[in-house]
């Protein structure tokens, strides 16, 4: 096995869980909109389904988070004003400390990687400053590449090539750790990296996709996968 010189990480559901932070922020914003004359689109279940679809499309790169909030306002018959965007952005960043919880073993594992001289970086679909604040809450110290800033969206190989540039490593000596089979595993493989699927939720891996090179159920198990040849620089 080749020596591992760099490891990239997904953020949400890999380093930390955010407990649907953005969904909650939009539901809070809905309350403001209704007080200002807005209309509901149905039951609470309907609202949540619509919010989740909107956020999913934003993460796919269909539109920016600002446009997602404006669309949300239009759906509820209020003027898509910038103040709603500013309120949503402020609330989500403020909520990180309460909502975002690092996965067990993240800090000690990241410290161990640093001791071994392994470069680390985050590649995440999302927007800043939210993702940067989440990474900080998870105890991550290193480069953070966010799709909203770099103009590349996972699973595109170009996004992972940007990650490799940040790591300063070649694909064959680089791993990527993530929970999403499509965006994380398949994306990393398309760039020639080895993939590590973190499956702490005990999900079934899609049979139509090429299997990951490694699978772990706990974050700390990442250290057990590393070849003995790795040495501190």
């Amino acid at each position: 096995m080749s020596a591992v010189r760099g490891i990239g990480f997904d953020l949400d559901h890999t380093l930390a869980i955010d407990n649907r932070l953005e969904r909650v922020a939009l539901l809070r914003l809905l309350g403001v909109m209704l007080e200002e004359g807005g209309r509901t689109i149905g039951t609470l279940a309907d609202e949540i389904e619509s919010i989740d679809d909107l956020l999913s499309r934003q993460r796919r790169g269909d539109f920016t988070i600002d446009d997602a909030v404006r669309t949300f306002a239009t759906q509820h018959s209020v003027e898509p004003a910038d103040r709603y965007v500013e309120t949503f952005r402020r609330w989500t960043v403020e909520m990180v400390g309460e909502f975002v919880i690092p996965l067990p073993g993240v800090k000690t594992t990241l410290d161990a990687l640093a001791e071994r001289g392994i470069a680390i970086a985050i590649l995440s679909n999302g927007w800043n400053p939210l993702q940067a604040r989440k990474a900080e809450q998870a105890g991550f110290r290193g480069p953070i590449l966010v799709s909203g800033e770099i103009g590349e969206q996972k699973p595109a190989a170009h996004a992972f090539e940007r990650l490799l540039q940040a790591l300063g490593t070649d694909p064959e000596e680089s791993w990527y750790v993530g929970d999403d089979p499509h965006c994380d595993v398949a994306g990393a493989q398309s760039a020639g990296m080895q993939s590590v699927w973190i499956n702490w939720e005990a999900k079934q891996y899609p049979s139509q996709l090429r299997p990951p090179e490694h699978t772990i159920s706990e974050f700390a198990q990442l250290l057990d996968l590393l070849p003995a040849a790795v040495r501190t620089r």
Side-chain angles (χ1 to χ4, degrees):
M1 182 183 294
S2 300
V4 181
R5 301 299 182 193
I7 300 180
F9 295 95
D10 174 46
L11 178 51
D12 296 311
H13 284 257
T14 296
L15 295 178
I17 54 175
D18 69 2
N19 292 294
R20 304 279 187 172
L21 180 156
E22 290 175 285
R23 174 204 276 179
V24 174
L26 281 177
L27 285 171
R28 288 179 60 189
L29 191 60
L30 174 59
V32 174
M33 292 175 178
L34 295 180
E35 290 177 358
E36 296 179 352
R39 301 177 181 178
T40 63
I41 62 171
T43 65
L44 178 58
D46 293 330
E47 294 285 1
I48 291 174
E49 182 179 0
S50 176
I51 287 172
D52 289 348
D53 177 68
L54 193 65
L55 292 173
S56 176
R57 290 166 60 199
Q58 182 269 318
R59 295 188 190 102
R60 289 201 308 263
D62 291 354
F63 36 70
T64 67
I65 191 63
D66 292 5
D67 286 339
V69 176
R70 293 188 184 100
T71 298
F72 186 69
T74 300
Q75 288 173 343
H76 293 88
S77 304
V78 294
E79 185 69 24
D82 286 344
R83 62 188 175 89
Y84 291 130
V85 175
E86 294 166 1
T87 298
F88 174 80
R89 281 179 168 269
R90 175 169 52 83
W91 280 353
T92 52
V93 174
E94 290 174 350
M95 291 163 63
V96 167
E98 180 181 0
F99 276 71
V100 175
I101 302 171
L103 263 64
V106 164
K107 186 181 185 305
T108 55
T109 301
L110 294 177
D111 288 346
L113 295 177
E115 291 175 1
R116 298 188 187 203
I118 297 176
I120 60 173
I122 284 175
L123 173 64
S124 173
N125 286 350
W127 57 277
N128 269 339
L130 179 61
Q131 296 302 84
R133 181 68 185 89
K134 286 181 182 179
E136 179 185 2
Q137 179 74 5
F140 186 87
R141 302 293 182 269
I144 303 169
L145 283 70
V146 178
S147 62
E149 292 187 338
I150 66 174
E152 301 286 357
Q153 192 91 1
K154 295 186 300 182
H158 288 308
F160 289 90
E161 290 167 5
R162 291 289 297 273
L163 171 64
L164 290 169
Q165 292 173 8
L167 291 170
T169 55
D170 294 327
E172 61 271 14
E173 58 185 10
S174 307
W175 288 6
Y176 186 77
V177 183
D179 71 297
D180 189 295
H182 296 273
C183 286
D184 299 330
V185 175
Q189 291 171 337
S190 72
M193 303 173 68
Q194 286 204 35
S195 60
V196 181
W197 184 41
I198 180 166
N199 185 29
W200 59 270
E201 296 177 279
K203 294 182 177 180
Q204 188 73 29
Y205 195 82
S207 59
Q208 72 273 19
L209 294 180
R210 171 182 158 190
E213 283 71 26
H214 310 281
T215 299
I216 57 178
S217 58
E218 297 178 6
F219 195 87
Q221 293 173 344
L222 178 64
L223 296 176
D224 299 331
L225 299 178
L226 293 172
V230 173
R231 296 288 183 267
T232 302
R233 291 177 181 175

